[in-house]
Amino acid sequence: MLDILVDIDFTLQAGQSLAIVGESGSGKSTLLALLAGLDLPTRGEVILSGQSLGALDEDGRAALRAREIGFVFQNFQLLGHMTALENVMLPLELAGVAQARARALDMLERVGLGQRLRHYPKLLSGGEQQRVALARAFVVQPRLLLADEPTGSLDPATGERIMDLMFRLNAEQGTTLILVTHDMQLARRCDRTLTLQAGRQQG
């Protein structure tokens, strides 16, 4: 049996930010999947807001993710057949939230895309697409935001603006932020850093 992650042990307080860093293949994305309950550890336990993810079935973990967790991906993961507004409304509609349109409009305004509401992803720049992705993640007011290389496909200047926006929204909403990154400058902006090497926690 291949052990991908071994002896990872940390606690993060509500509202804190954590950067997960390490070389490619060190287990960063696997750890993120475990924290989201997308995968379950063969040993050990992941506890989110007092709830053991391993004690829930697949439907229970999906419901917890919808309620508690937002995601931001390197390749944005926007739905190409939906406008910016529709992409941001989608998680609210799936959760049965009232006034989904009004909340999505407000969030897109906050990320500076009030003039791009009806644009489809293919008509938006990379930075604009990532702002839509941020709006979609934060609009549900998640307690935990997981970001996997959120600036990896952006040029440095755009990436810095995106991270300024992410940390501002993080502070405004009191969201706990966990991000995977190769960018040590970005990692230093977080409250804490967790370094992985060959699946093991360093330091």
Side-chain angles (χ1 to χ4, degrees):
M1 183 177 70
L2 175 65
D3 289 328
I4 299 175
L5 293 169
V6 181
D7 295 333
I8 308 298
D9 185 10
F10 70 93
T11 299
L12 197 63
Q13 300 299 319
Q16 285 189 315
S17 56
L18 171 73
I20 302 173
V21 301
E23 296 179 355
S24 295
S26 60
K28 301 186 302 297
S29 293
T30 298
L31 179 54
L32 214 61
L34 290 170
L35 296 175
L38 295 169
D39 295 325
L40 291 177
T42 52
R43 297 187 303 276
E45 193 172 25
V46 178
I47 298 174
L48 175 61
S49 298
Q51 174 68 62
S52 171
L53 299 187
L56 300 172
D57 60 17
E58 190 171 338
D59 288 342
R61 292 194 301 275
L64 184 67
R65 279 194 296 275
R67 199 169 59 243
E68 302 271 357
I69 303 176
F71 296 90
V72 178
F73 302 95
Q74 177 177 343
N75 58 354
F76 319 132
Q77 297 284 358
L78 300 178
L79 297 177
H81 65 285
M82 290 186 168
T83 64
L85 179 59
E86 290 167 342
N87 266 282
V88 178
M89 287 175 60
L90 182 61
L92 296 170
E93 292 175 329
L94 291 174
V97 174
Q99 283 127 18
R101 181 182 176 84
R103 283 180 56 173
L105 281 168
D106 177 66
M107 184 57 70
L108 283 166
E109 289 283 356
R110 290 175 67 187
V111 301
L113 291 176
Q115 304 303 313
R116 296 285 191 269
L117 304 177
R118 294 176 177 81
H119 286 61
Y120 291 92
K122 66 181 180 181
L123 301 176
L124 300 173
S125 70
E128 288 172 333
Q129 289 184 59
Q130 193 61 298
R131 279 189 278 162
V132 174
L134 281 177
R136 182 183 59 188
F138 277 103
V139 76
V140 294
Q141 298 180 332
R143 298 183 68 177
L144 172 64
L145 182 74
L146 302 175
D148 194 357
E149 296 286 1
T151 61
S153 57
L154 304 174
D155 65 82
T158 301
E160 186 170 350
R161 289 196 296 272
I162 289 297
M163 291 317 303
D164 286 344
L165 176 60
M166 177 179 287
F167 280 103
R168 177 166 61 80
L169 293 172
N170 167 247
E172 288 175 1
Q173 295 194 3
T175 304
T176 304
L177 173 63
I178 299 179
L179 60 91
V180 164
T181 184
H182 285 94
D183 184 343
M184 293 309 297
Q185 183 176 349
L186 172 56
R188 284 191 287 271
R189 295 184 63 173
C190 294
D191 297 319
R192 296 173 56 190
T193 299
L194 188 155
T195 303
L196 294 180
Q197 184 175 349
R200 293 181 179 273
Q201 183 175 344
Q202 303 299 302

